[in-house]
């Protein structure tokens, strides 16, 4: 049986081995899920704003999406928005995404064998994938606000997915109530991101699991039959500091 452990924040993530599930409910996980569901071929994951801009300059057709402090930089094509971002891409696109938390983790997971993105939206699909992995230990990585402060929504998602993996009976009603009343939800409302909040508190709305493939930059693809045995091998990043960005 797979053991599930929870590691909060970025401290020490460089040494985490095995399978890692990155959880950034508000909102990177859901934005990545939404982009792939809308037909993106891949989502390029950047930690640093300037590198994201440079990648856009190499190919202006790539939508440049992301946020700092919850707001899209003025020169970006869009924000870190699971409700809006899909309308900014066409099927087959490779959008660029840089965020304050979720994409920061990818840049530092140097020893992991498999890296997935999860939220409530794909919780059951992720749990099913975890049960099929050849990893004795799976680490849940709830990112928290800007990867610095624990966040109710990320902790709740980590516990929910762990419960699914372990076969526990769970009631989403009380969990959803806590999500809607937490500081992260209040922050989204203050920023006027009501549509994003609605997307982020949906349970099992997507049967899609983003799998991170190592590279420069790393990228998320929809996990399928042809990717199920691919390992995250960040050897191409060895010797290079991918940067932490501003988040």
């Amino acid at each position: 049986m797979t053991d599930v452990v929870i590691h909060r924040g970025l401290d020490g993530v460089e040494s985490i081995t095995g399978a890692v599930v990155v959880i950034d409910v508000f909102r990177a996980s859901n934005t990545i899920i939404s982009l792939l569901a809308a037909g993106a071929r891949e989502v390029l994951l950047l930690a640093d704003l300037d590198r994201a801009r440079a990648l856009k300059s190499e190919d202006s057709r790539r939508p440049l999406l992301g946020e700092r402090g919850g707001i899209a930089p003025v020169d970006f094509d869009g924000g870190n928005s699971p409700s809006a971002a899909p309308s900014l891409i066409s099927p087959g696109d490779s959008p660029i995404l840089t965020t304050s938390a979720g994409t920061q983790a990818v840049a530092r997971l140097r020893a992991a064998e498999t890296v997935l993105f999860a939220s409530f939206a794909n919780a059951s699909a992720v749990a099913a994938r975890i049960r099929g992995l050849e990893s004795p230990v799976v680490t849940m990585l709830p990112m928290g606000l800007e990867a610095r402060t624990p966040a109710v929504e990320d902790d709740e998602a980590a516990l929910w997915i762990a419960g699914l993996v372990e076969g526990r009976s769970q009631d989403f009603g009380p969990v959803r109530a806590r999500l809607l009343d937490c500081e992260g939800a209040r922050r989204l409302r203050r920023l006027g991101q009501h549509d994003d909040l609605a997307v982020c508190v949906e349970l099992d709305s997507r049967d899609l699991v983003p799998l991170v493939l190592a590279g420069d930059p790393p990228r998320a693809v929809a996990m399928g039959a042809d990717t199920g045995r691919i390992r995250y091998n960040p050897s191409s990043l060895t010797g290079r500091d991918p940067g932490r960005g501003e988040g």
Side-chain angles (χ1 to χ4, degrees):
M1 181 174 177
T2 299
D3 289 330
V4 178
V5 300
I6 296 177
H7 181 111
R8 292 176 175 83
L10 290 178
D11 289 346
V13 298
E14 293 86 352
S15 63
I16 297 176
T17 59
V20 180
V21 180
V22 180
I23 301 172
D24 189 352
V25 176
F26 296 161
R27 296 163 286 167
S29 289
N30 284 292
T31 297
I32 293 167
I33 293 166
S34 294
L35 287 168
L36 293 173
R41 183 169 68 91
E42 59 191 359
V43 181
L44 307 180
L45 306 173
L46 276 295
D48 184 71
L49 284 170
D50 289 337
R51 285 211 68 228
R53 292 183 175 108
L55 202 60
K56 168 75 171 184
S57 70
E58 293 173 8
D59 186 346
S60 62
R61 296 170 298 178
R62 294 172 175 151
L64 177 57
L65 310 174
E67 56 77 29
R68 290 297 185 271
I71 303 297
V74 293
D75 56 335
F76 275 36
D77 299 313
N80 175 28
S81 171
S83 64
S87 67
L88 300 175
I89 70 163
S90 300
D93 278 353
S94 297
I96 302 161
L97 181 68
T98 177
T99 72
S100 300
T103 64
Q104 304 297 319
V106 171
R108 296 176 59 177
L109 286 167
R110 303 292 183 86
E113 295 178 3
T114 303
V115 178
L116 311 176
F117 269 90
S119 184
F120 290 101
N122 67 344
S124 290
V126 169
R129 288 292 187 177
I130 289 172
R131 288 192 293 267
L133 292 175
E134 299 172 358
S135 180
V137 178
V138 173
T139 300
M140 299 288 169
L141 188 59
M143 294 308 305
L145 178 61
E146 297 186 349
R148 295 170 179 163
T149 306
V152 168
E153 64 275 9
D154 296 340
D155 286 349
E156 291 279 3
L159 293 170
W160 182 267
I161 296 169
L164 292 175
V165 173
E166 295 165 1
R168 297 198 303 267
S169 177
Q170 303 181 110
D171 181 1
F172 186 61
V175 175
R176 188 174 188 275
R178 289 193 291 272
L179 296 177
L180 292 171
D181 192 43
C182 72
E183 176 54 33
R186 290 190 287 272
R187 182 171 183 258
L188 289 181
R189 293 187 188 101
R190 288 195 298 270
L191 295 171
Q193 295 162 349
H194 303 279
D195 290 343
D196 284 348
L197 178 58
V199 170
C200 292
V201 299
E202 292 179 348
L203 179 65
D204 292 332
S205 58
R206 301 289 188 186
D207 186 22
L208 182 154
V209 179
L211 169 71
V212 179
L213 304 181
D216 187 12
R219 62 198 190 277
V221 300
M223 193 173 187
D226 57 339
T227 57
R229 302 185 69 84
I230 291 177
R231 297 301 186 204
Y232 180 70
N233 179 9
S235 58
S236 62
L237 301 180
T238 301
R240 175 179 180 279
D241 182 2
R244 292 187 59 184
E246 286 67 34

